Amino acid sequence: MIKTIIMAAGEGTRMKSETSKVLHKLINKEIIKYVKKASDFDNSETIIIGGANKEKLVELFPDIKIVEQKIGEVIPYGTGYAASLALDYIDDNDQVLILNGDIPLIKRESLEKLINYHDETDSSCTILSTLIDRPKGYGRIIRDENNNFIKITEDRDLVIGQENINEINVGIYIFKAQDLRESLSKINSDNDQNELYLTDCIGVLKNQDKKVSAYVSEDCEEFYGINNKYELYQASKILQNRINKAHMINGVIIESPETTFIEEGVEIGIDTVISGFVKIYGNSKIGKSCLIDGSTRIINSTIEDNVRVDNAVIEDCYMEKDSNIGPYSRIRPNSYIGKGVHIGNFVEVKNSKLGEGTKAGHLAYIGDSDLGKDINIGCGVVFVNYDGKFKHRSTIEDGAFIGSNANIVAPVKVEKEGFVAAGSTITEDVSSGELIIERAEQKHITGYVERKKERDKNHKE
Ligand code: UD1
Ligand code: CA
């Protein structure tokens, strides 16, 4: 079985943040979640080495073993020490895949290739390397004159002439469990940083004439490690480009990919146009031939074919086809927007259902309500759903007309084709076909303006 150890206890001081490095988000998902996902195989089990972030990691991965690495002056430190903390959970016949927790761009295929290479060469340890233009900061792969891999030397320990070696250790290794266990027991902290280096296991195994290999992976972008917020941004750009490109190849039109953020796993149908500063997150699914325009944000929502959305925020919702939202609308969680529904300028919908063909074009709040088909909600209508203590629901049946600036005070029901006059505050049910006017009768006071002008004139004199 493969045991995957993700090392995530480092303090990440260069991040300059109160949030642990691996818990920073990259297009709406924590860095470590990407690493976990790419390294999660059918026959594998993950163990995460956490530090001060342990509790947060447990929250994020409730089903995974999280081992806490205590950090303190008298306690050893370093990648070798971190890996040793997982040994209790490793059996002798396991293969142990070890990864740094800060490389979110890694692809599963590359890890599979590493594992296959390791199996084929029957190595005790295989490390993953790649070639990069600016290797400064990374451990380098040292090879002999016959190109055989000999060891990894940390950047700070390089001798003159070695700085230009551009084959680097990306921080991904696979070991036979027994060889890992044995070599970890032999490394020491006799180095510049007084740390236990996992990379020193290579030398230990070499000295015992065990086979160690370096598998060179081609796409160096995958191994981009994040240490500060600029690198977080850079990684996000690479990921964004990867995701957007895949959607475009699949038939989506993304007009401005630099400003479009789509989380991994979102589905979008062909001929849909994503225009503007759009963010689509979570478990979202968008159909064919839609237009998603303006600064729209869509979170965990399903949108069927041929829907138009302009400058809207849509969260945990379902939108049927041909519906039309915005500009400037907010559809809050647990809302169902029926076929052909129109929700317009400055309209907020929450925990409500709107049946086919219903329209709310301007400045309305529809909360905790069930609306049937072909209803007209006038400008400024408010569904008054909260009495200061409890929320209540209202029901509006098919074909009803709710005049502008009406208040629907829940719980109340407007039956089929009920007609509520503008400005009415409805506190009792409206029967089918009724017109309800709830407002003071209009009075006509003739000559008022003339009299007022006269009064004002006298006042001045
Ligand atoms: C390490 C490698 C280096 C490689 C580089 C790739 C060693 C000695 N060096 O260096 O060859 O080129 O990664 O990025 O391994 N961590 C713990 N506990 C610790 C120390 C670190 O969990 O006590 C974790 C960190 O959270 C991080 C990972 O291990 O996810 C790597 O640690 P880091 O300090 O960034 O290693 P580098 O010095 O970059
Ligand atoms: Ca009124």
Side-chain angles (χ1 to χ4, degrees), residues 87-156:
L87 289 175
D88 283 350
Y89 308 96
I90 287 164
D91 301 317
D92 282 348
N93 293 325
D94 289 337
Q95 295 284 9
V96 189
L97 177 67
I98 306 179
L99 302 98
N100 287 359
D102 59 1
I103 38 170
L105 304 177
I106 174 79
K107 289 185 185 160
R108 167 188 297 263
E109 300 92 270
S110 301
L111 294 175
E112 278 167 351
K113 283 183 188 161
L114 169 73
I115 296 167
N116 289 340
Y117 187 83
H118 176 72
D119 287 345
E120 280 161 19
T121 53
D122 192 29
S123 302
S124 284
C125 167
T126 307
I127 70 125
L128 201 153
S129 75
T130 196
L131 303 168
I132 61 171
D133 291 341
R134 268 175 274 169
K136 181 133 191 57
Y138 287 98
R140 308 295 212 290
I141 306 304
I142 311 295
R143 293 179 182 271
D144 67 14
E145 59 280 0
N146 298 321
N147 207 34
N148 292 316
F149 169 49
I150 306 179
K151 62 173 179 178
I152 298 170
T153 301
E154 289 308 295
D155 184 69
R156 58 176 72 224

Side-chain angles (χ1 to χ4, degrees), residues 8-11 48-55 66-79 81-86 196:
E11 290 173 297
I48 298 180
I49 312 296
N53 55 9
K54 183 186 174 195
E55 254 151 57
I66 315 281
V67 179
E68 184 174 356
Q69 177 184 354
K70 292 251 181 347
I71 309 236
E73 263 176 40
V74 292
I75 309 170
Y77 188 78
T79 46
Y81 179 65
S84 74
L85 296 174
L196 289 165

Side-chain angles (χ1 to χ4, degrees), residues 380-384 401-409 419-427 430 435-440:
V381 169
V382 174
F383 282 72
V384 184
F401 181 96
I402 313 294
S404 290
N405 207 30
N407 299 307
I408 307 294
V409 184
F419 202 104
V420 173
S424 301
T425 292
I426 303 301
T427 52
V430 174
L435 163 68
I436 298 290
I437 308 180
E438 186 285 324
R439 61 189 181 211

Side-chain angles (χ1 to χ4, degrees), residues 225-237:
I226 296 173
N227 292 302
N228 56 46
K229 284 172 179 156
Y230 181 69
E231 289 172 354
L232 182 71
Y233 156 77
Q234 296 261 307
S236 125
K237 283 282 145 198

